[in-house]
């Protein structure tokens, strides 16, 4: 069968992204905050939601590395892959010469075994490959072929979360779901656990001397000797950062300016655009079933004024809901349907729909005033403050938005899923690329009428046949240029219909210190997404080195 070969087939040496072949200092113990607060529990099971962050991306690796900054798939334990002509099968060529940290070779049998774990036990399908529609897995020589029920080339990203474990060890584990794997986890990654270091507040992973990737100078990676993970709290992290207790942290630091001022040359941060917070409108309820009312509400909101009042200030969104690194796909939609803060324009638009101001300064029509509750999770202080700002802004255009705090997850989430709200503050997962974001947000398979649970956490109650068609076309297309065309059309339709108002991107908290180590990703050099989760951190840990 003729194969369609993906362009990314070369061995990926991440260090080549930012470093030259000479002058790189090796050694040192990098100090990082743990995601876990309080007492650490010794769990390095790559399939467990309770595993510590060093399990995946330090000890265990995946077939590909999917870069969440630019949405590119990169070879890792698979050195290349190819899609079949019908785009239902993808064949991975497994890299030769890779060893587990106990010295045993990683083979195609280990990959097959790791894949099949999720078929018989959904709890082990943590990558979501089987849930995506994987039907069969076949091995031939050094290749593994995965066949899906339907065409969906976006399923490739799932393999970036498929962690390869040694069959010789895991085939003997009676209960792989609850196995803590805490004594001597065996993986292919650049680090291995130092068992003697483990305590209630910290632990250490050491450089794996058998690691397969090489630096540009031909010497083994990583450059650093070890990573020490340490617990902290929201209250302690700011002080500890200022006192150089950490080289890398992923925490909300409210006194971030104090951290920078303590050592401007070395104390750095990059709060990248994370998940997007929307003002959701229930499109199946009047008056939100009127697109011009929705647009008027959007015109009444100034995202920049909202974020200016938040500390630290997140990045304001525009009506396209697209992150800045994918701004190209939003140009066409913004040229046609960009909505800017315009109080007088919003009033005129409402009046064109027959609304008139009543004695309380609120627009109404046929006895129904534009007065609604805006629900927000109770005690989420940053969101509550933002909702109060939105309420004040909408008052200026004659719309009464009463902020109502509800306990999360119930009744807040249940009411959203059933459509029992008018307007709500809630999140939309942006994921690694706009397809992920809009497929989850707009795909009509998530649609449900009011009163029927939609098993999602928004209440837009919106669907569009053209958007569905473009999402489906995207899943059938390997060409990045064509995919951009489909996404551009989706974004344009979203802006035209204005089913929700994008407000701001929740920051991805990331602080780093260049006193001892350099080579960090930054806003100026975003070679990797600075997250401690899964494979996202591995290129960073392979790139940083002594100053």
């Amino acid at each position: 069968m003729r194969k369609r070969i993906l362009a990314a087939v070369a061995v990926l040496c991440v260090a080549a992204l930012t470093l030259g072949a000479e002058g790189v200092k090796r050694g040192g113990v990098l100090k990082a905050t743990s995601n876990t607060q309080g007492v650490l529990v010794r769990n390095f099971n790559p399939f467990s939601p309770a595993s510590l962050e060093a399990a995946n991306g330090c000890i265990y690796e995946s077939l590909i590395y999917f870069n969440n900054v630019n949405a590119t798939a990169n070879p890792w334990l698979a050195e290349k892959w190819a899609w079949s002509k019908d785009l239902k099968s993808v064949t991975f060529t497994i890299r030769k010469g890779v060893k587990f940290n106990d010295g045993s070779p990683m083979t195609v049998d280990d990959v097959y075994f790791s894949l099949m774990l999720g078929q018989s036990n959904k709890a082990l399908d943590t990558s979501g490959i089987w849930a995506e529609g994987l039907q069969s897995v076949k091995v031939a020589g050094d290749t593994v072929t995965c066949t899906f029920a339907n065409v969906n080339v976006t399923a490739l990203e799932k393999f970036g979360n498929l962690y390869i474990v040694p069959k010789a060890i895991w085939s003997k584990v009676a209960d792989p779901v609850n196995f803590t794997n805490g004594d001597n986890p065996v993986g292919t990654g650049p680090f291995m656990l130092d068992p003697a270091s483990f305590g209630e507040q910290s632990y250490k992973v050491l450089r794996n001397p058998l690691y397969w990737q090489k630096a540009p100078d031909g010497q083994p990676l990583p450059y650093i000797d070890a990573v020490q993970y340490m617990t902290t709290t929201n209250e302690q992290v700011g002080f500890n950062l200022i006192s150089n207790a950490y080289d890398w942290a992923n925490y909300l630091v409210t006194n971030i300016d104090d951290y920078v001022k303590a050592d401007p040359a070395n104390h750095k941060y990059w709060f990248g655009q994370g998940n997007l917070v929307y003002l959701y409108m229930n499109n199946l309820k009047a008056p939100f079933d009127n697109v011009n009312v929705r647009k008027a509400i959007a015109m009444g909101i100034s995202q920049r004024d909202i974020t200016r009042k938040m500390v630290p200030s997140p990045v304001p969104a525009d009506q396209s809901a697209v992150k800045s690194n994918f701004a190209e796909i939003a140009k066409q939609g913004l040229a046609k349907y960009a909505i800017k803060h315009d109080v007088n324009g919003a009033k005129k638009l409402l009046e064109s729909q027959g609304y008139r101001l009543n004695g309380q300064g609120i627009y109404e029509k046929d006895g129904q005033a534009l007065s609604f509750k805006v629900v927000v999770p109770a005690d989420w202080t940053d969101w509550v403050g933002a909702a109060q700002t939105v309420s004040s802004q909408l008052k200026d255009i004659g719309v009464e938005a009463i902020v109502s705090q509800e306990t999360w997850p119930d009744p807040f989430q249940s009411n959203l899923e059933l459509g029992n709200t008018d307007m709500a503050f809630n999140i939309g997962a942006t994921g690694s690329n706009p397809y992920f974001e809009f497929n989850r947000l707009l795909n009509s398979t998530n649609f449900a009428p009011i009163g029927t649970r939609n098993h999602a956490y928004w209440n837009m109650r919106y669907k569009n046949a053209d958007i569905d068609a473009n999402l489906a076309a995207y899943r059938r297309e390997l060409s990045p240029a064509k995919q951009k065309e489909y996404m551009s059309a989706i974004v344009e339709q979203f802006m035209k219909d204005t089913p929700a108002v994008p407000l701001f991107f929740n920051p991805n908290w990331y602080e780093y210190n260049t006193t001892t180590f350099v080579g960090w990703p930054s806003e100026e050099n975003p070679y990797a997404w600075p997250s401690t989760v899964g494979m996202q951190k591995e290129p960073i840990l392979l790139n940083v080195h002594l100053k």
Side-chain angles (χ1 to χ4, degrees):
M1 180 181 292
R2 183 171 64 90
K3 302 288 186 180
R4 298 178 69 173
I5 307 296
L6 200 68
V9 295
V11 173
L12 175 68
C13 185
V14 178
L17 292 169
T18 59
L19 303 177
E22 299 177 358
V24 176
K25 294 183 180 180
R26 293 175 175 269
V29 178
L30 187 150
K31 298 168 292 184
T33 58
S34 172
N35 292 341
T36 302
Q37 296 188 7
V39 175
L40 296 173
V41 177
R42 196 165 176 149
N43 187 332
F44 294 95
N45 181 340
F47 307 109
S48 170
S51 66
L52 296 172
E53 57 271 89
N56 296 334
C58 283
I59 299 171
Y60 294 97
E61 297 181 297
S62 57
L63 290 181
I64 66 172
Y65 157 59
F66 200 91
N67 189 324
N68 280 5
V69 173
N70 54 27
T72 59
N74 300 271
W76 215 261
L77 294 180
E79 64 179 18
K80 62 182 179 180
W81 57 89
W83 285 95
S84 60
K85 185 178 180 180
D86 65 2
L87 297 180
K88 287 188 176 182
S89 298
V90 58
T91 297
F92 294 94
T93 301
I94 307 306
R95 192 178 301 281
K96 296 181 178 68
V98 177
K99 291 182 178 181
F100 291 107
N101 59 34
D102 65 354
S104 62
M106 184 207 73
T107 70
V108 70
D109 289 338
D110 299 302
V111 175
Y112 178 81
F113 174 81
S114 302
L115 268 164
M116 297 306 291
L117 282 172
Q119 182 191 40
S120 56
N121 191 328
K122 290 183 179 179
L124 298 176
D125 184 27
T126 53
S127 65
I129 291 174
W130 291 95
E132 193 69 43
L134 181 62
Q135 285 189 320
S136 67
V137 182
K138 294 182 179 180
V139 172
D142 60 353
T143 67
V144 176
T145 298
C146 298
T147 300
F148 291 84
N150 300 299
V151 175
N152 183 6
V153 298
T154 69
L156 181 68
E157 182 177 351
K158 301 291 184 182
F159 292 93
N161 294 311
L162 174 71
Y163 295 97
I164 306 305
V165 298
K167 177 182 177 181
I169 294 174
W170 283 78
S171 61
K172 299 174 184 176
V173 175
D175 184 4
V177 174
N178 296 305
F179 176 48
T180 59
N181 194 30
D183 295 330
N184 185 29
V186 177
T188 63
F191 297 93
M192 53 198 299
L193 178 66
D194 175 8
S197 71
F198 199 91
E200 291 185 348
Q201 302 297 318
S202 71
Y203 66 95
K204 189 183 294 182
V205 289
L206 307 175
R207 184 175 63 84
N208 174 11
L210 302 178
Y211 189 56
W212 58 275
Q213 285 206 66
K214 307 294 182 184
D217 60 5
Q219 298 300 307
L221 287 173
Y223 297 106
I224 59 178
D225 287 335
V227 181
Q228 183 175 6
Y229 285 101
M230 299 177 285
T231 62
T232 187
T233 65
N234 293 326
E235 294 74 24
Q236 296 172 338
V237 68
F239 173 79
N240 288 339
L241 277 168
I242 289 173
S243 59
N244 292 336
Y246 313 122
D247 301 297
W248 181 0
N250 284 95
Y251 268 79
L252 164 62
V253 179
T254 54
N255 60 329
I256 193 66
D257 290 338
D258 293 338
Y259 164 64
V260 174
K261 288 177 183 177
D263 187 353
N266 293 301
H267 289 183
K268 312 289 185 179
Y269 70 92
W270 170 29
F271 292 163
Q273 296 171 338
N275 290 329
L276 180 55
V277 178
Y278 290 85
L279 175 67
Y280 287 112
M281 296 175 280
N282 193 332
N283 286 250
L284 294 184
K285 279 188 175 182
F288 305 109
D289 56 351
N290 182 333
V291 64
N292 288 312
V293 171
R294 300 197 299 266
K295 286 183 178 292
I297 288 173
M299 292 168 67
I301 292 173
S302 168
Q303 286 86 346
R304 189 161 299 280
D305 287 346
I306 295 169
T307 56
R308 281 174 178 167
K309 297 180 180 181
M310 302 174 71
V311 179
S313 178
V315 177
D318 60 38
Q319 193 59 30
S320 73
V322 173
K323 289 182 178 181
S324 59
N325 49 321
F326 298 105
E328 183 68 26
I329 68 168
K331 282 186 175 181
Q332 184 173 310
L334 287 170
K336 292 182 179 179
Y337 302 112
I339 294 178
K340 296 182 179 180
H341 185 220
D342 184 352
V343 172
N344 290 330
K347 288 181 175 181
K348 289 180 180 178
L349 188 55
L350 290 173
E351 290 169 1
S352 74
Q353 303 303 298
Y355 287 92
R356 297 292 181 266
L357 287 173
N358 62 21
Q360 288 74 45
I362 302 171
Y363 278 105
E364 67 174 44
K365 183 172 70 172
D366 300 330
Q368 296 296 314
L370 295 181
S371 177
F372 318 100
K373 285 184 178 180
V374 179
V375 295
V376 64
D379 300 324
W380 291 23
T381 54
D382 52 345
W383 284 20
V384 172
Q388 290 169 343
T389 301
V390 167
S391 175
S392 176
Q393 290 177 346
L394 292 183
K395 184 178 180 180
D396 292 340
I397 67 166
V399 175
E400 184 177 46
I402 304 167
V403 178
S404 176
Q405 299 186 47
E406 293 183 350
T407 304
W408 188 93
D410 289 316
F412 177 80
Q413 185 167 316
S414 295
N415 284 334
L416 286 172
E417 291 176 356
L418 291 169
N420 293 336
T421 58
D422 294 321
M423 295 193 291
F425 261 59
N426 211 3
I427 207 161
T430 52
S432 59
N433 61 57
Y435 168 81
F436 179 97
E437 175 184 357
F438 286 103
N439 185 59
R440 191 170 188 183
L441 189 69
L442 304 178
N443 194 316
S444 65
T445 58
N446 294 320
F447 179 85
I450 291 175
T452 300
R453 190 176 298 276
N454 67 355
H455 300 290
Y457 46 74
W458 51 82
N459 74 326
M460 280 196 308
R461 259 53 191 190
Y462 165 81
K463 62 180 179 179
N464 181 281
D466 288 338
I467 288 178
D468 281 345
N470 280 303
L471 288 170
Y474 186 102
R475 290 190 290 271
R476 297 190 299 266
E477 183 56 63
L478 286 176
S479 165
K482 289 286 188 181
Q483 287 182 331
K484 285 182 180 179
E485 290 181 14
Y486 296 130
M487 283 310 308
S488 180
I490 290 167
V491 172
E492 181 176 332
Q493 188 66 53
F494 174 80
M495 295 186 67
K496 180 181 179 181
D497 290 349
T498 318
V501 184
L503 298 176
F504 55 86
F505 293 94
N506 270 345
N508 177 64
W509 310 116
Y510 163 56
E511 300 86 17
Y512 61 102
N513 189 329
T514 61
T515 301
T516 305
F517 297 98
V518 293
W520 302 98
S522 64
E523 188 171 7
E524 296 74 28
N525 182 24
Y527 68 84
W529 185 242
S531 170
T532 60
V533 176
M535 288 290 292
Q536 296 305 310
K537 64 179 170 290
E538 186 168 347
I540 301 170
L541 294 176
L542 293 178
N543 201 52
V544 294
H545 60 98
L546 286 173
K547 193 169 183 177

